[in-house]
């Protein structure tokens, strides 16, 4: 049996519902912010076959939170370019990599695994993308990182063959 709206009203039943504003997060129009950034180590002696560059960032977002589980586009990330610009590596900073806090104020860590075949020299941050769960994004420029006192890259160095650390110890 189908009931008409007036039948529901006559019998005291509701005929609709109102969703709270936060369901649609219509007020969330701001992208996340980068509160802190650390790259360690900043300089790596590439004599070892493999090494890890760890990128640690504190990301805040006032409403929906840093993009993570369930987000289907590019999450927060930092892209690095090799000295020649021919190679790039990316540190993914999605909320899936959060180690503390919550999606609205959390610390994320990503380990980039590199090896001694990567180009030596200064690897510079080429892009910083911050994205929240609703797709609000912000691209940061190098000048923003410098103004905040954040690192702008890391350095892969070739070991000096004359370095005392690399010479055999012939003392007996």
């Amino acid at each position: 049996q189908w009931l008409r709206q007036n039948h529901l009203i006559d019998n005291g039943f509701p005929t609709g519902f109102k969703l709270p504003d936060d369901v649609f997060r219509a007020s969330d129009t701001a992208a996340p912010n980068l509160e802190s950034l650390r790259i360690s180590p900043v300089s790596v002696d590439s004599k070892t076959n493999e090494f890890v560059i760890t990128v640690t960032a504190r990301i805040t977002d006032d409403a929906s939170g840093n993009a993570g589980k369930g987000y289907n586009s590019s999450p927060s990330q930092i892209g690095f370019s090799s000295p020649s610009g021919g190679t790039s590596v990316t540190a993914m900073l999605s909320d899936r990599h959060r180690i503390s806090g919550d999606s609205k104020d959390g610390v994320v860590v990503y380990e980039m695994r590199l090896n001694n075949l990567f180009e030596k020299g200064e690897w510079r941050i080429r892009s910083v993308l911050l994205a929240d769960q609703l797709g609000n994004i912000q691209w940061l420029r190098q000048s923003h990182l410098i103004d905040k006192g954040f690192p702008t890259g890391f350095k892969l160095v070739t070991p000096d063959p004359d370095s005392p650390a690399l010479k055999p110890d012939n003392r007996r």
Side-chain angles (χ1 to χ4, degrees), residues 83-129:
S84 68
T87 304
S88 63
V89 294
T90 303
M92 302 306 289
L93 300 177
S94 80
D95 200 54
R96 294 177 184 171
H97 298 283
R98 180 171 29 90
I99 61 164
S100 66
D102 59 31
S103 64
K104 293 180 182 180
D105 187 351
V107 174
V108 292
V109 173
Y110 190 84
E111 293 181 341
M112 297 185 299
R113 300 193 179 284
L114 308 177
N115 61 49
N116 62 0
L117 300 177
F118 277 78
E119 186 178 346
K120 308 309 179 265
E122 292 281 336
W123 285 68
R124 293 277 174 207
I125 292 176
R126 67 170 157 68
S127 62
V128 177
L129 169 64

Side-chain angles (χ1 to χ4, degrees), residues 13-158:
F13 291 102
T15 59
F17 58 94
K18 181 177 181 344
L19 293 174
D21 289 337
D22 66 346
V23 169
F24 293 110
R25 291 183 173 85
S27 62
D28 183 6
T29 58
N33 291 303
L34 184 63
E35 302 296 337
S36 65
L37 176 63
R38 186 176 54 175
I39 301 169
S40 63
V42 175
S43 182
V44 176
D45 185 338
S46 61
K47 69 179 175 251
T48 59
N49 289 336
E50 293 184 353
F51 45 89
V52 174
I53 303 289
T54 303
V55 178
T56 306
R58 180 173 160 238
I59 299 174
T60 60
D61 186 68
D62 64 348
S64 62
N66 186 30
K69 186 176 181 181
Y71 184 69
N72 295 322
S73 190
S74 295
S76 298
Q77 58 191 274
I78 297 178
F80 296 86
S81 288
S82 65
S84 68
T87 304
S88 63
V89 294
T90 303
M92 302 306 289
L93 300 177
S94 80
D95 200 54
R96 294 177 184 171
H97 298 283
R98 180 171 29 90
I99 61 164
S100 66
D102 59 31
S103 64
K104 293 180 182 180
D105 187 351
V107 174
V108 292
V109 173
Y110 190 84
E111 293 181 341
M112 297 185 299
R113 300 193 179 284
L114 308 177
N115 61 49
N116 62 0
L117 300 177
F118 277 78
E119 186 178 346
K120 308 309 179 265
E122 292 281 336
W123 285 68
R124 293 277 174 207
I125 292 176
R126 67 170 157 68
S127 62
V128 177
L129 169 64
L130 299 170
D132 72 10
Q133 201 65 15
L134 289 180
N136 296 308
I137 64 169
Q138 175 180 195
W139 290 94
L140 300 182
R141 298 173 184 239
Q142 186 104 6
S143 59
H144 176 87
L145 301 175
I146 293 168
D147 290 348
K148 291 275 206 168
F150 295 158
T152 57
F154 59 89
K155 187 174 187 176
L156 299 182
V157 296
T158 304

